[in-house]
Amino acid sequence: MKKIYTLLLVVGFALSTQAQTTYQSSDYAGIGDNYVISISNGNLINYDYTLNGANQSWVFDSIPINEQGEEVYEDPDNAGYFLSYIAACVLDGGNIFSCPGKWNDLTNLARQNPFNLNLGAIEFTDVVDHYDKTSTTLEATILGMTAGSNGLSIPLAIEYDDIDTLYRFPIAYQNQDSATGSYSFDLTPSGVNFQYKTYRKRWNEVEGWGSVSTPFGSFASTLKMRTVIEQTDTIISDTLTIAVPTLTTVEYTWWDPAYGIPVLKATANVVAGLEVINQVSFIDTLRCLEPTASILAVPPFATIDSASGEANVIFFEFSNNADQLSWDFGDGSTATGENPNHAYTSAGIYPVTLIACNNVCNPPQCDTAVFNVIIYDGQNPNANFILLPGSEVCVGDSLFTGNFSTNADSFVWNFGNGVSSSEVSPRIGYGSAGTYQVQLIAFGPNGSDTTVRDIDVFDAPVPSLGGDTTINSSDSISFTLSGYESYDWFDGSDDSTLTIQGTSLGVGVHTIWVEVENEGGCEGRDSLVLTILPSTSIDPEFLGNFSIYPNPTTAFTEIDLRRPTQNAIQLTLLDMQGRVVFKDRFEASGYQLSLADYPAGIYLLRLNEGIREAYFRLVKVDQ
């Protein structure tokens, strides 16, 4: 959802009286539907996304807007991957008569996906989701995307191994369903040693209905759905297998039958059991937002082909909030539009310029990006390489040397730390911070060529928030860090100072964490446990009447009373989300609390006799 286009929807609002509604398959988007989407990715913690139940009123009308994009739904036959699917189907044992029928059985709707993934040596772009929409389900069946590597452009039409049922219709209050989905692909037959597998499971629950308001307008009759998605990815490249830890996300969506997609969507990552909202998007109209221009060239270093006399380069743009794109290829040629190709006929360094403009603004607002493309001749050796992930890395990182030399058949590398190599594209790493010179000498039939690049190696930052602490709910606490390039707090804020009001988190045990990044892009993390107690006067006598041991514990905790009480003691155990996980009462001189069935973590134990209360923090550890 990155570029803005003309809004193709009828602006209308639901009935003024609230009533429970249902959302049918026929209400969902169809071919030709386009929606302008506004996206917010900052200052999102001041809203309650979890409120559920009947006849609710959700107010999000002051959410900030950072960028705009679109959702485009089209005919799968015209979305760019029909021929790729037919070719793959035939190679898999089908034929030109049966494969088109299989395609038609799998998909009748396609959506342009803004997802792009850059893995250094491989770039995935032009992603298109293909769906099969029926009267009862919306299923993800085929993923189309283009893989770019070393100048190759490989279109992929990937059929799901396990079709993912995104929604079941009708969507109605208190409906629940679940589904699994998976797909995989292997680029090895295309000469690129790369494999990818993904598995996901989702749970949908329609947990509320009522009215919702956004900066675009008010919707009087909506359904609220909560979706939990667990996804596990595996990447195999060369001899390296990376099993990405399972990522859990939560989506809250609000559905109005007058619109083909959710009118509002909030997405959260689940970190240490906490839901952290990282993006909110909603249907909107075009707005004047400042554009940003960004370019990637594939390949960034190209050699003129001796037969054609040309070096072809593909340009990808990743601009935001732009509806007009103008290109200057640095050799006198120009173009407009997205992702053009250009053929160079002479060796040299060409500054490629992209101007991205937002014409919704009056006057139009524009931004400029420049990318230097290097073109070599096809005779003499040319030593050239790139360092991935870049010329700034962290101590201990594995650095990939992408060798783009031409007219050469042997190589000598010197990495500036006493290590050398004769491999084509070796991996290296540095054990201490500093600036190093990486030298590549390329040897060919017509001589040799040398290229030197500097690399800055940085130590990882070590932020410190201090030790675990406790405050009352009426109090506040501040944490301040300095000297870092960026800050990412548990609640989504990005300032160097974070102030927490006890009332905003609520009584309970909370994990406070921050991730920081230094000038070299190195990341560090720290966390602490913040216990928030009620803002009521503490009765020291009542608090001192209890002895809690062992703490930490692996299974059981004993609660001893030093003196008998007149009334029964109410016991309540809360987890780190403030949820009650256990309740009981006891009247004897003690109580044995079992934590054997609960996961390791920190819990808050509340003991009360009438209006007198005492709170204790319990730690459960694995055996």
Side-chain angles (χ1 to χ4, degrees):
M1 306 178 191
K2 300 181 70 177
K3 305 164 191 64
I4 55 176
Y5 297 82
T6 304
L7 180 65
L8 298 177
L9 61 87
V10 177
V11 178
F13 300 106
L15 298 176
S16 60
T17 58
Q18 288 190 5
Q20 184 176 338
T21 187
T22 59
Y23 193 98
Q24 306 291 336
S25 169
S26 57
D27 299 322
Y28 194 81
I31 294 174
D33 287 345
N34 288 16
Y35 297 92
V36 169
I37 303 295
S38 283
I39 301 169
S40 178
N41 47 36
N43 299 320
L44 302 174
I45 65 172
N46 297 323
Y47 304 91
D48 186 0
Y49 308 94
T50 62
L51 180 65
N52 57 51
N55 201 20
Q56 297 291 344
S57 178
W58 296 280
V59 179
F60 303 104
D61 51 13
S62 59
I63 282 181
I65 300 172
N66 300 109
E67 60 182 276
Q68 288 195 295
E70 66 168 352
E71 287 215 18
V72 178
Y73 292 83
E74 56 188 322
D75 186 336
D77 294 352
N78 302 325
Y81 291 98
F82 171 74
L83 294 179
S84 299
Y85 178 84
I86 299 301
C89 177
V90 171
L91 289 174
D92 197 37
N95 57 64
I96 59 173
F97 302 104
S98 63
C99 289
K102 188 178 180 183
W103 167 271
N104 292 332
D105 290 338
L106 284 172
T107 179
N108 55 22
L109 185 65
R111 178 182 76 97
Q112 298 289 334
N113 190 320
F115 169 82
N116 288 292
L117 178 62
N118 189 341
L119 297 177
I122 302 177
E123 175 84 10
F124 296 100
T125 59
D126 296 332
V127 181
V128 178
D129 294 316
H130 295 73
Y131 305 122
D132 182 32
K133 187 178 83 165
T134 71
S135 61
T136 57
T137 59
L138 180 72
E139 297 177 332
T141 56
I142 298 172
L143 179 66
M145 61 183 179
T146 299
S149 177
N150 294 328
L152 295 175
S153 183
I154 309 169
L156 305 171
I158 305 160
E159 183 177 338
Y160 274 66
D161 304 312
D162 179 13
I163 288 175
D164 189 356
T165 301
L166 306 182
Y167 305 113
R168 298 185 186 275
F169 301 109
I171 297 173
Y173 181 46
Q174 296 183 332
N175 280 6
Q176 298 182 32
D177 62 79
S178 63
T180 59
S182 65
Y183 63 84
S184 59
F185 62 89
D186 184 358
L187 299 182
T188 305
S190 302
V192 180
N193 194 359
F194 184 88
Q195 300 174 55
Y196 181 88
K197 302 176 182 178
T198 188
Y199 169 84
R200 70 173 67 103
K201 184 169 184 179
R202 70 179 66 245
W203 295 265
N204 293 327
E205 179 182 2
V206 186
E207 61 176 19
W209 65 269
S211 65
V212 62
S213 60
T214 72
F216 176 61
S218 298
F219 308 85
S221 185
T222 63
L223 292 161
K224 182 202 175 193
M225 176 184 290
R226 182 177 187 265
T227 301
V228 179
I229 303 172
E230 292 181 352
Q231 179 166 322
T232 303
D233 299 315
T234 302
I235 300 172
I236 303 173
S237 179
D238 295 326
T239 60
L240 181 66
T241 298
I242 302 173
V244 181
T246 299
L247 174 65
T248 301
T249 58
V250 177
E251 296 177 352
Y252 295 100
T253 48
W254 282 261
W255 301 78
D256 184 322
Y259 297 86
I261 61 174
V263 296
L264 178 74
K265 177 179 178 180
T267 304
N269 287 334
V270 178
V271 181
L274 298 176
E275 294 181 14
V276 181
I277 299 293
N278 54 47
Q279 186 180 91
V280 174
S281 60
F282 56 90
I283 288 178
D284 203 2
T285 188
L286 292 175
R287 299 176 185 266
C288 175
L289 299 177
E290 183 177 354
T292 59
S294 181
I295 310 173
L296 174 69
V298 179
F301 318 109
T303 301
I304 297 174
D305 181 74
S306 58
S308 66
E310 296 179 340
N312 191 59
V313 180
I314 306 173
F315 294 95
F316 297 98
E317 60 83 26
F318 302 94
S319 305
N320 289 329
N321 305 320
D323 60 358
Q324 179 180 326
L325 303 170
S326 302
W327 298 84
D328 184 331
F329 298 114
D331 62 351
S333 301
T334 60
T336 59
E338 303 176 41
N339 306 336
N341 293 0
H342 185 65
Y344 291 92
T345 58
S346 300
I349 300 176
Y350 296 92
V352 178
T353 303
L354 169 65
I355 302 176
C357 297
N358 186 349
N359 289 291
V360 174
C361 303
N362 187 17
Q365 299 292 312
C366 298
D367 186 44
T368 300
V370 178
F371 190 100
N372 288 326
V373 174
I374 303 175
I375 306 298
Y376 298 106
D377 63 37
Q379 301 275 333
N380 298 317
N382 297 288
N384 219 317
F385 65 93
I386 61 172
L387 300 172
L388 299 174
S391 59
E392 295 180 341
V393 298
C394 309
V395 170
D397 282 356
S398 179
L399 189 67
F400 177 73
T401 56
N403 191 337
F404 291 93
S405 302
T406 57
N407 304 318
D409 50 25
S410 62
F411 308 93
V412 173
W413 295 86
N414 292 292
F415 302 119
N417 60 350
V419 178
S420 61
S421 173
S422 59
E423 296 181 30
V424 176
S425 294
R427 293 179 183 270
I428 60 173
Y430 292 89
S432 59
T435 298
Y436 300 86
Q437 282 194 333
V438 179
Q439 180 192 66
L440 170 63
I441 306 174
F443 298 90
N446 295 324
S448 65
D449 187 39
T450 300
T451 294
V452 176
R453 302 191 192 284
D454 288 342
I455 180 169
D456 294 317
V457 181
F458 295 86
D459 286 316
V462 185
S464 177
L465 298 177
D468 298 345
T469 188
T470 300
I471 64 172
N472 292 328
S473 61
S474 60
D475 296 335
S476 64
I477 187 171
S478 294
F479 303 95
T480 299
L481 300 171
S482 61
Y484 302 112
E485 292 294 308
S486 67
Y487 306 83
D488 182 13
W489 295 89
F490 75 103
D491 62 356
S493 58
D494 56 5
D495 294 329
S496 59
T497 297
L498 175 72
T499 299
I500 299 174
Q501 301 293 333
T503 53
S504 66
L505 290 182
V507 173
V509 181
H510 308 274
T511 298
I512 309 302
W513 57 263
V514 64
E515 292 180 348
V516 299
E517 186 174 294
N518 62 17
E519 59 180 335
C522 305
E523 296 180 346
R525 192 179 193 275
D526 191 33
S527 65
L528 59 79
V529 174
L530 175 64
T531 303
I532 300 179
L533 301 178
S535 295
T536 57
S537 58
I538 300 298
D539 185 337
E541 180 182 0
F542 185 70
L543 180 67
N545 194 30
F546 298 97
S547 176
I548 311 294
Y549 66 92
N551 186 17
T553 181
T554 59
F556 297 93
T557 289
E558 300 290 341
I559 304 172
D560 283 354
L561 277 70
R562 295 187 172 92
R563 297 176 303 278
T565 59
Q566 295 181 351
N567 303 302
I569 301 296
Q570 176 71 51
L571 179 153
T572 306
L573 187 67
L574 300 94
D575 65 10
M576 293 190 67
Q577 287 75 53
R579 299 175 299 195
V580 175
V581 297
F582 180 74
K583 295 182 70 172
D584 201 358
R585 298 169 66 88
F586 64 94
E587 299 180 0
S589 60
Y591 184 90
Q592 186 181 72
L593 174 62
S594 173
L595 297 175
D597 295 332
Y598 299 110
I602 300 175
Y603 297 85
L604 189 66
L605 174 64
R606 181 175 65 204
L607 302 173
N608 65 284
E609 179 194 15
I611 63 172
R612 300 201 298 172
E613 292 184 326
Y615 287 83
F616 300 89
R617 187 166 62 196
L618 291 182
V619 179
K620 163 70 184 300
V621 296
D622 291 326
Q623 293 184 354

